[in-house]
């Protein structure tokens, strides 16, 4: 891991702020020093020009006054037309002209001269033309060139202010980052406590309208979903434990009964016949097979194993299943012919068997089964472009309360108290039926009925009503 990744966000932002502040402060200090240096040069040039002009006026009037320069570090030379120095300040006495340039086409010219009669030094030199006795004389006024830093104290003051500005900006940036990330620290601390304690708690939401506020709300929404998922997981685990107990009971009961029948037959073989033993054992074997088939079916559905996708005549399937099973209750039917869907015949048969088994367990006298096809426009649902194949299974039992209608489709759920062997399975039949319906692009639910429970299956029809399907 690189060193940058090992640094905290606060440290990285503070370093970035410090670097940017230092760069900007340096640029600001440089700009200020350049402006001051230009102002100082202009002021010095004006003062030198004024000093030279004063001497030039005196030369034209024929009365030169000493000292020529009234300020220290100012140098003045008067040079005649033959380039002879006729007057100068003490620092240039006995020296040749300070420079060789003269005003060309104008009376005043300015230049910076380095070296010359003053080795190792640069001077601002102003040359002014003077008319003396019909000749052109030159007055040179000079002063040391202004350095970039103008004065050491000024440079130190500007540099110190720039450094102070960089430090202040860095400090303010650090405080701003710390204050901005304080809610994040609170959120992280609360999350740590939530992880250690309870998922029902929520992180604090700062009152500001910024990204941290949105982050806190997103975290709380995630915690809500996580809490709901954990609660659902606990509920599922409780149901699974209850299912294991129910399945164990449902398996143990027929196995115990079969064992008792076999042991009785072994103890008294002369009093037991094979047909009688088979008649006693086979119903219990059927029950074991049904439980095993339920578990196998729901495992396949959970794995996402696709079923067949072929035309199935739902009307013929229901009629065939009713003919194949012995009537436990009176069954009234209203089956329209030619209701065709696309799906897996074996799964649809399983769905119908689970519904009819549930109806027989709860019906008092009769069960009513209807199969018909309706136009898809009645539901305004794009899943049913060619219409809706509807199958209803209605019993005349006690019915199901509206607030419990969805609960019966959950796995391992049985609304009645622990039942005997004749009462049913482990609470998987209706869950399997709904999962098969949804896998086929349809729905299965419980709707209002004057008496008993009314299970309604809706599947996409293979063709519009009144027209044979094209396969």
């Amino acid at each position: 891991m690189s060193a940058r990744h090992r640094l905290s966000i606060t440290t990285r932002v503070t370093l970035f702020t410090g670097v940017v502040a230092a760069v900007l402060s340096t640029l600001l200090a440089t700009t200020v020093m350049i402006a001051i240096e230009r102002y100082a040069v202009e002021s010095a040039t004006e003062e030198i020009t004024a000093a030279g002009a004063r001497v030039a006026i005196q030369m034209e009037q024929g009365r030169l006054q000493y000292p020529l320069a009234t300020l220290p570090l100012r140098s003045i030379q008067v040079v005649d037309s033959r380039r002879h120095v006729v007057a100068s300040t003490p620092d240039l006495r006995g020296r040749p002209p300070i420079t060789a340039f003269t005003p060309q086409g104008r009376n005043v010219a300015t230049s910076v001269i380095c070296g010359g009669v003053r080795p190792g030094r640069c001077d601002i030199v102003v040359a002014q033309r003077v008319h003396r006795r019909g000749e052109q004389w030159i007055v040179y006024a000079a002063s040391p060139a202004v350095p970039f830093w103008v004065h050491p104290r000024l440079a130190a003051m500007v540099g110190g202010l720039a450094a102070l500005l960089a430090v202040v900006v860095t400090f303010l940036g650090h405080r701003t980052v710390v204050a901005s990330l304080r809610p994040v620290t609170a959120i992280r601390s609360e999350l740590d406590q939530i992880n250690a304690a309870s998922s029902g708690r929520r992180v604090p939401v700062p009152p500001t309208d910024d990204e941290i506020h949105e982050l806190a709300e997103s975290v709380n929404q995630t915690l809500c979903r996580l809490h709901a998922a954990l609660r659902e997981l606990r509920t599922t685990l409780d149901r699974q434990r209850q299912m294991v107990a129910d399945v164990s009971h449902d398996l143990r009961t027929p196995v115990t009964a079969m064992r008792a029948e076999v042991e009785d037959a072994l103890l008294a073989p002369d009093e037991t016949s094979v047909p009688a033993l088979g008649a006693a054992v086979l119903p219990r074997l059927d029950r074991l097979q049904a439980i095993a088939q339920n578990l196998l079916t729901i495992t396949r559905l959970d794995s996402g194993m696709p079923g067949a996708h072929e035309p199935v005549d739902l009307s013929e399937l229901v009629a065939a299943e009713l003919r194949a099973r012995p009537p436990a209750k009176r069954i009234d039917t209203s089956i329209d012919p030619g209701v065709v869907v696309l799906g897996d015949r074996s799964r649809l048969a399983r769905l119908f068997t689970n519904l009819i088994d549930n109806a027989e367990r709860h019906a008092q006298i009769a069960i009513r089964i209807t199969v018909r096809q309706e136009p898809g426009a009645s539901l305004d649902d794009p899943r049913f472009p060619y219409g809706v194949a509807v199958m209803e299974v209605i019993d005349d039992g006690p019915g199901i309360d509206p607030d419990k209608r969805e609960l019966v489709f959950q796995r391992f759920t049985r609304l009645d108290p622990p039942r005997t062997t004749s009462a049913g399975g482990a609470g998987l039949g209706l869950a399997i039926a709904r999962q098969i319906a949804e896998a086929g692009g349809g729905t299965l639910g419980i709707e209002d009925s004057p008496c008993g429970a009314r299970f309604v299956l809706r599947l996409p029809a293979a063709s519009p009503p009144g027209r044979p399907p094209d396969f």
Side-chain angles (χ1 to χ4, degrees):
M1 184 180 294
S2 64
R4 181 175 66 86
H5 291 166
R6 289 196 297 266
L7 298 177
S8 65
I9 294 178
T10 302
T11 303
R12 279 184 279 171
V13 173
T14 302
L15 288 176
F16 176 78
T17 305
V19 171
V20 172
V23 172
L24 294 180
S25 298
T26 301
L27 292 177
L28 178 61
T30 302
T31 302
V32 170
M33 290 304 301
I34 290 175
I36 293 176
E37 185 264 345
R38 289 183 178 179
Y39 176 77
V41 169
E42 291 176 0
S43 298
T45 303
E46 290 177 358
E47 194 277 327
I48 296 171
T49 303
R54 179 177 55 81
V55 174
I57 292 173
Q58 293 177 1
M59 289 292 297
E60 290 180 349
Q61 294 176 352
R63 52 182 184 84
L64 196 61
Q65 297 178 0
Y66 290 90
L68 298 180
T70 59
L71 295 177
L73 301 179
R74 297 294 183 265
S75 303
I76 295 179
Q77 279 185 338
V78 179
V79 180
D80 62 14
S81 60
R82 291 180 294 276
R83 302 296 298 169
H84 294 158
V85 177
V86 296
S88 68
T89 52
D91 59 319
L92 294 178
R93 190 169 296 155
R95 296 191 180 187
I98 192 173
T99 183
F101 84 92
T102 60
Q104 300 293 329
R106 51 186 176 175
N107 292 329
V108 180
T110 304
S111 179
V112 177
I113 304 299
C114 295
V117 297
R118 295 177 176 179
R121 170 176 164 177
C122 293
D123 293 291
I124 301 174
V125 180
V126 178
Q128 299 185 57
R129 195 184 306 273
V130 178
H131 297 278
R132 176 72 174 176
R133 299 175 183 175
E135 296 178 348
Q136 298 290 335
W137 287 24
I138 303 295
V139 175
Y140 291 108
S143 178
V146 179
F148 172 76
W149 55 88
V150 182
H151 193 278
R153 291 182 179 178
L154 176 63
M157 182 182 67
V158 173
L161 291 177
L164 179 61
L165 177 62
V167 171
V168 170
V169 171
T170 303
F171 175 73
L172 293 177
H174 174 77
R175 289 199 60 181
T176 302
V177 173
V178 171
S180 300
L181 293 181
R182 190 174 294 116
V184 176
T185 303
I187 292 173
R188 180 182 58 80
S189 176
E190 187 67 21
L191 283 175
D192 291 340
Q193 296 182 20
I194 289 173
N195 291 333
S198 171
S199 61
R201 298 170 60 178
R202 297 295 176 264
V203 301
V205 178
T208 57
D209 186 14
D210 55 12
E211 292 81 357
I212 305 298
H213 179 89
E214 296 175 357
L215 171 64
E217 289 188 339
S218 297
V219 169
N220 282 337
Q221 292 174 5
T222 302
L223 288 175
C224 288
R225 291 192 295 268
L226 177 62
H227 182 65
L230 290 176
R231 185 170 53 194
E232 182 66 24
L233 178 61
R234 294 191 190 100
T235 303
T236 302
L237 290 176
D238 292 340
R239 290 175 185 160
Q240 287 180 343
R241 283 192 289 267
Q242 183 63 41
M243 184 274 296
V244 171
D246 291 343
V247 171
S248 299
H249 172 74
D250 289 342
L251 293 176
R252 184 171 60 250
T253 300
V255 169
T256 301
M258 287 189 296
R259 183 180 182 88
E261 293 288 345
V262 173
E263 288 178 348
D264 289 344
L266 291 176
L267 292 175
D270 296 336
E271 300 177 3
T272 305
S273 64
V274 173
L277 180 61
V281 171
L282 280 178
R284 294 173 174 85
L285 287 176
D286 291 339
R287 179 165 179 75
L288 290 176
Q289 184 177 4
I291 294 174
Q293 184 64 33
N294 271 341
L295 294 174
L296 179 61
T297 300
I298 206 165
T299 300
R300 288 176 176 174
L301 291 173
D302 285 344
S303 66
M305 183 182 299
H309 191 70
E310 57 188 9
V312 178
D313 191 327
L314 189 62
S315 304
E316 185 274 329
L317 182 146
V318 170
E321 290 295 326
L322 290 177
R323 288 193 300 267
R325 62 185 296 131
K329 301 286 175 67
R330 192 185 80 211
I331 298 179
D332 301 325
T333 61
S334 175
I335 302 176
D336 295 342
V339 180
V340 181
V341 298
L342 293 177
D344 189 312
R345 183 180 181 87
S346 62
R347 289 188 177 183
L348 292 175
R350 184 68 179 172
L351 185 156
F352 175 71
T353 300
N354 289 355
L355 292 181
I356 197 68
D357 287 343
N358 179 77
E360 287 182 345
R361 283 195 296 269
H362 297 91
Q364 294 180 359
I365 298 175
I367 301 170
R368 179 171 179 78
I369 300 173
T370 64
V371 178
R372 65 183 182 276
Q373 184 170 344
E374 298 177 350
S378 61
L379 291 180
D380 193 22
D381 193 325
R383 292 178 299 174
F384 307 102
Y386 300 117
V388 186
V390 180
M391 181 180 70
E392 296 183 356
V393 178
I394 309 171
D395 63 68
D396 60 354
I400 302 175
D401 295 335
D403 60 337
K404 296 181 180 179
R405 290 178 179 177
E406 284 300 313
L407 184 62
V408 300
F409 291 105
Q410 297 180 7
R411 297 179 184 179
F412 322 122
T413 299
R414 295 186 296 187
L415 299 182
D416 49 349
R419 300 166 294 179
T420 61
T421 302
S422 62
L428 292 175
L430 294 180
I432 292 174
R434 170 170 278 189
Q435 200 162 351
I436 292 174
E438 292 177 348
T443 62
L444 175 62
I446 303 175
E447 299 183 4
D448 294 337
S449 175
C451 179
R454 177 186 171 210
F455 288 83
V456 181
L457 169 70
R458 290 184 173 86
L459 292 173
S463 63
R467 194 181 77 182
D470 299 326
F471 301 121

